[in-house]
Amino acid sequence: MKIALIGYGKMGQEIEKIALDRGHEIVSKIDVSSKDSFTDEGFKSADVAIEFTRPEAAYNNYLKCFEANIPVVSGTTGWLDQLPDIQERCKNDNQTFFYASNFSLGVNIFFELNKQLARIMNKMDEYNVSMEEVHHTQKLDEPSGTAITLAEGLIENMDKKTDWKLDAEESNSDIAIKAIREGQVPGIHTIKYDSSVDEIIIHHSAKSRKGFALGAVLAAEFAAKNSGFLTMNDLLNF
């Protein structure tokens, strides 16, 4: 498979290593410091593009891929106000877009565990739920896309929770999310149910970027053979 990398930072470089190990070819590396561009023959020859950049650049990057009819796999967060347009283009223009707030297989298992526990805890009024996430200091968005996905999973499955709030006090209707930025932490997410007598905690801690990169390459392999708007639920068949 021929892959175009859009964004060649730490994540892009990790993706490149795994893609090459799996027998794929990197035909284009588009980054602020590279000479490759969306008009090069290398990019146009790609079977799929993997995009990890910045929120303000992501949407235009997707449109460039769509113009070349190249499926896109993206893990950039912080741009989701424009997601409905991307979904519409997939539906009406036969484009392919695979999005995940987190490509780690373990995190996506954690997403499902979070939903299942929320269903169980929905009727347990004595417990209140909150969340904490920790990431490296270079992470641009707060809270993380993963934390937002977890919060959405709680809201979908708990009648009394209607919204999430960053760095807010706990309340009956809001999920309080605390975001911490320190060191080179790849990502830690903790969901806590607290009552006056005990607490229940589920926790996921990434050890490196390798898990995210592997998931992105698996998603690219999937997107090259499928079409439309795709997610990790499609890949993992949850």
Side-chain angles (χ1 to χ4, degrees):
M1 190 169 67
K2 295 180 178 180
I3 299 175
L5 295 178
I6 306 174
Y8 195 61
K10 292 179 180 178
M11 181 60 73
Q13 293 170 37
E14 192 67 48
I15 288 170
E16 180 182 37
K17 293 176 187 176
I18 291 174
L20 294 175
D21 286 345
R22 292 178 67 84
H24 303 305
E25 179 184 359
I26 306 300
V27 294
S28 179
K29 301 175 189 176
I30 298 175
D31 193 71
V32 291
S33 60
S34 73
K35 296 180 181 180
D36 292 352
S37 74
F38 292 103
T39 60
D40 292 344
E41 291 305 312
F43 173 74
K44 293 177 181 179
S45 73
D47 297 308
V48 64
I50 303 178
E51 198 269 1
F52 278 81
T53 61
R54 300 172 65 90
E56 63 271 19
Y59 177 74
N60 284 332
N61 291 337
Y62 308 151
L63 297 188
K64 293 291 186 182
C65 293
F66 289 167
E67 287 173 10
N69 287 314
I70 296 173
V72 188
V73 172
S74 180
T76 303
T77 57
W79 61 275
L80 292 184
D81 56 322
Q82 295 166 305
L83 181 61
D85 179 67
I86 296 298
Q87 292 172 319
E88 195 71 16
R89 290 173 186 269
C90 290
K91 180 180 178 181
N92 295 333
D93 300 336
N94 297 316
Q95 300 296 338
T96 298
F97 186 86
F98 192 121
Y99 177 72
S101 61
N102 194 309
F103 282 97
S104 161
L105 302 185
V107 165
N108 281 273
I109 294 169
F110 190 63
F111 286 156
E112 293 303 306
L113 176 62
N114 174 57
K115 292 176 184 178
Q116 180 63 23
L117 182 56
R119 294 185 194 108
I120 294 171
M121 301 301 290
N122 186 36
K123 303 301 181 183
M124 306 293 179
D125 291 335
E126 60 270 32
Y127 290 89
N128 198 32
V129 62
S130 62
M131 188 189 317
E132 179 181 282
E133 57 102 337
V134 187
H135 279 89
H136 52 84
T137 54
Q138 291 79 37
K139 186 158 183 64
L140 300 176
D141 50 332
E142 290 187 12
S144 67
T146 300
I148 293 173
T149 300
L150 288 165
E152 289 172 346
L154 294 171
I155 292 166
E156 289 169 9
N157 293 284
M158 302 188 76
D159 295 333
K160 66 180 181 180
K161 295 301 181 183
T162 59
D163 201 359
W164 57 265
K165 291 288 192 307
L166 180 64
D167 295 330
E169 296 296 325
E170 291 185 6
S171 73
N172 287 332
S173 61
D174 295 332
I175 301 163
I177 302 178
K178 183 178 182 180
I180 299 171
R181 299 290 175 262
E182 62 183 27
Q184 296 298 316
V185 179
I188 301 171
H189 294 85
T190 303
I191 309 288
K192 181 172 74 171
Y193 291 86
D194 189 55
S195 77
S196 61
V197 295
D198 59 12
E199 61 184 16
I200 300 169
I201 296 173
I202 57 173
H203 174 91
H204 180 275
S205 179
K207 296 181 179 180
S208 72
R209 290 183 173 85
K210 187 174 182 180
F212 310 127
L214 173 59
V217 175
L218 293 175
E221 294 170 354
F222 187 81
K225 298 177 182 178
N226 294 273
S227 61
F229 183 78
L230 307 169
T231 70
M232 290 297 283
N233 284 351
D234 297 305
L235 173 63
L236 299 175
N237 198 26
F238 282 151

